[in-house]
Amino acid sequence: WHLEARGVEVRLGVPLSRVERRSIGANRQYRLRFATGEAIAADGVILATPAFVSAELIGTIDHELAATLREIPYASSAIVSLAFPKEAIAHPLEGHGYLVPRAEHRPVLACTWSSRKWADRAPDDAVLMRVFLGRHGQESLLGGPDDQLIALAQAEIRRMLGIDARPLLSRVHRWPRGMPQYTIGHLDRLATIAHCLEEHPGLLLAGNAYRGVGLPDCIAAGEAAAQGTHQVVTALAPPRAATIDHGTDPRRSPVYG
Ligand SMILES: Cc1cc2nc3c(=O)[nH]c(=O)nc-3n(C[C@H](O)[C@H](O)[C@H](O)COP(=O)(O)OP(=O)(O)OC[C@H]3O[C@@H](n4cnc5c(N)ncnc54)[C@H](O)[C@@H]3O)c2cc1C
């Protein structure tokens, strides 16, 4: 809300369909087309969308950039949350959970003891755990029904923690293509992306696809992109507010400009 208080219009739930390029080096050199049919002319654009989405958005203005973005692979995962009565767990649960290395050849990536890690995640007499399923290249099991994933998660904690109790609660959350994979060649892809972006001043990329998947990395990427955009926009003279146009519909006038 502090942005809106400073005159920034925040619009949520409006998917972007395409980024177009207008005259190079001029003010308002980008036009953003939305799924609603609206368009915005802009000096600067930050795409914080997944790389495969960004590839489609900029596909018409830079084929090489789009192709390189599409090369970044993504893994899907599912999280099974299980709650148990505290008295049903003999394991001391000292710590916050554990990770399972790929060499173990198991479908489980990790198990976190959420109620140990964070306050107020479960009532005092209960324990909440999250079992992470799915690994890049081994995601076929994620297509199964919730019951199957819950059974897998229960088998995991039975084996690792000796918990055989019936859960008080079980929930499945799926994250399709949620985690970019920095596979061999990633740095080369980043170099190509940076090279392509030199042709598009004011167009910047942020998000977890490039230089770190953790939330602090994503925040840093967003801040760097904001600074980069600010530099480009302030170098263009004279500064003006963004303009929204509404395509060819004559009943709708520009909101401001
Ligand atoms: C299961 C799981 C657990 C994780 N746990 C942790 C953790 O414990 N700690 C940690 O630091 N990190 C964790 N991560 C990693 C971290 O959460 C992610 O890397 C980070 O949230 C990604 O942020 P992002 O902004 O790049 O992407 P997203 O949050 O995916 O944002 C991309 C946005 O783009 C929007 N979008 C897509 N298409 C369009 C379009 N056409 N027009 C407009 N908008 C569009 C989407 O709606 C979405 O809001 C976890 C990730 C997963 C999947």
Side-chain angles (χ1 to χ4, degrees):
W1 63 267
H2 59 284
L3 287 177
E4 288 178 327
R6 299 177 71 176
V8 175
E9 184 188 357
V10 178
R11 307 183 72 194
L12 302 174
V14 187
L16 184 60
S17 305
R18 203 163 64 232
V19 178
E20 296 168 352
R21 191 77 193 258
R22 305 162 94 201
S23 54
I24 292 173
N27 284 350
R28 304 285 178 273
Q29 57 182 332
Y30 298 100
R31 187 193 299 276
L32 311 184
R33 292 204 175 274
F34 293 91
T36 54
E38 286 180 333
I40 292 179
D43 293 325
V45 180
I46 299 171
L47 294 179
T49 40
F52 54 88
V53 173
S54 301
E56 301 313 312
L57 296 177
I58 52 86
T60 55
I61 63 172
D62 193 321
H63 296 296
E64 186 184 9
L65 178 56
T68 310
L69 290 171
R70 275 189 210 102
E71 283 176 15
I72 297 175
Y74 275 73
S76 299
S77 58
I79 293 181
V80 180
S81 299
L82 299 170
F84 296 96
K86 206 175 240 172
E87 79 249 8
I89 299 180
H91 194 285
L93 299 182
E94 286 165 353
H96 293 151
Y98 60 89
L99 300 172
V100 181
R102 183 177 283 272
E104 295 287 331
H105 300 294
R106 298 224 311 278
V108 172
L109 284 85
C111 176
T112 53
W113 306 331
S114 307
S115 53
R116 287 274 177 182
K117 197 170 173 182
W118 308 106
D120 302 325
R121 290 298 161 107
D124 288 345
D125 57 354
V127 168
L128 181 66
M129 300 192 168
R130 297 196 307 164
V131 179
F132 292 66
L133 299 171
R135 206 180 274 282
H136 185 45
Q138 302 171 13
E139 292 145 313
S140 52
L141 71 97
L142 299 178
D146 285 4
D147 287 353
Q148 198 175 319
L149 301 189
I150 291 168
L152 259 173
Q154 284 187 263
E156 165 71 18
I157 57 171
R158 190 178 304 122
R159 172 182 159 159
M160 294 301 292
L161 305 172
I163 300 172
D164 215 3
R166 189 184 167 84
L168 297 168
L169 165 152
S170 53
R171 298 275 188 280
V172 176
H173 293 98
R174 295 165 194 263
W175 298 91
R177 296 182 86 186
M179 197 66 95
Q181 303 293 302
Y182 298 168
T183 52
I184 290 173
H186 187 71
L187 292 177
D188 293 336
R189 286 190 277 279
L190 291 188
T192 305
I193 289 168
H195 180 68
C196 291
L197 286 174
E198 286 172 12
E199 298 297 316
H200 309 290
L203 174 63
L204 291 104
L205 302 172
N208 66 359
Y210 312 105
R211 297 187 183 278
V213 297
L215 292 174
D217 304 308
C218 296
I219 292 167
E223 288 176 345
Q227 279 169 7
T229 308
H230 184 255
Q231 279 172 10
V232 170
V233 170
T234 49
L236 292 168
R240 287 160 41 195
T243 308
I244 297 181
D245 73 52
H246 296 279
T248 53
D249 186 343
R251 293 166 301 178
R252 308 187 69 179
S253 59
V255 175
Y256 54 83

